[in-house]
Amino acid sequence: MTYSIGEFAEIIGVNKSTLRYYELEGLLNPQRDENNLREYTEQDIGWVRFLLHLKHSGMSMVELKQYTEWRAMGEGTIYDRLHLLEQRKGKVEQEMQTLQESLNILNQKIMFYHDQIKGDKYEFVLYSGQKEGAKDEST
C-alpha cells in the first residue's frame, strides 16, 4: 500500500513541508508515481517514526544525516550506527538525570509551600551544605 504526501503526513503527525525538508536533506527518499508524485510506503512510516524519535532525543540534523547515510550503506556500518546511538543514549540518560533532579527540587519546594499554607512553618533548606537555620535565599 502507498500513501500520498498528505496521507503520509497525517499518519506520521508532521506537516507536508517537514517531509519535503527531510527529503531535501536526504533523510527520506519516497518513490514517485508515473506523474512524479511522492508515494510513501509502510517501510517509510517506520523509518520516519524512528527518525522522529532520534530527533526528539536531541540528535542534530548532521547526526541524522550521518545515520541515514550509514543505514543506506548497509551492514558494513553497523558498528558506526551502534556507536552513534550509544552516544545519544548516554546524553539522553544524562538529560533525564538532570530533569529528575529538577523535578525533585520542584516537588520539595511545592511540598514546602503546601506545608506553609497549612500552617506548618519551618525553614526551607534546599541543599544539605546549608548551615542549620540558614535562610534559603530562593524562597
Side-chain angles (χ1 to χ4, degrees):
M1 179 167 194
T2 61
Y3 306 95
S4 70
I5 191 169
E7 293 168 329
F8 191 73
E10 189 173 323
I11 290 167
I12 298 299
V14 300
N15 296 323
K16 292 186 281 187
S17 60
T18 299
L19 294 174
R20 289 185 192 103
Y21 174 70
Y22 283 5
E23 184 178 349
L24 181 67
E25 292 296 323
L27 301 178
L28 189 57
N29 188 20
Q31 300 171 12
R32 298 284 183 149
D33 69 9
E34 63 277 356
N35 296 317
N36 203 31
L37 296 174
R38 293 169 180 87
E39 290 185 321
Y40 296 91
T41 66
E42 294 291 326
Q43 290 80 16
D44 292 326
I45 291 172
W47 171 240
V48 173
R49 284 185 174 155
F50 180 66
L51 279 176
L52 291 173
H53 282 292
L54 293 179
K55 180 180 175 255
H56 292 136
S57 78
M59 194 172 275
S60 70
M61 182 56 72
V62 170
E63 291 171 314
L64 290 170
K65 285 179 175 183
Q66 182 63 77
Y67 186 91
T68 301
E69 184 180 313
W70 284 335
R71 177 181 179 252
M73 293 169 71
E75 286 189 29
T77 63
I78 285 177
Y79 289 109
D80 296 317
R81 288 180 274 162
L82 174 62
H83 181 69
L84 181 60
L85 293 177
E86 287 175 337
Q87 283 182 320
R88 174 55 40 200
K89 177 182 176 240
K91 289 176 184 177
V92 168
E93 288 172 341
Q94 288 173 349
E95 291 169 9
M96 288 176 63
Q97 181 178 352
T98 299
L99 285 172
Q100 185 61 55
E101 290 168 2
S102 295
L103 180 60
N104 291 343
I105 297 298
L106 288 169
N107 283 333
Q108 289 174 26
K109 197 66 166 185
I110 288 167
M111 184 176 291
F112 170 76
Y113 285 133
H114 280 291
D115 288 347
Q116 296 292 300
I117 291 168
K118 289 188 298 187
D120 188 7
K121 304 289 184 184
Y122 56 88
E123 295 282 333
F124 181 79
V125 178
L126 182 57
Y127 302 103
S128 60
Q130 281 183 303
K131 292 182 181 177
E132 198 63 36
K135 287 201 178 248
D136 178 2
E137 300 299 323
S138 66
T139 56

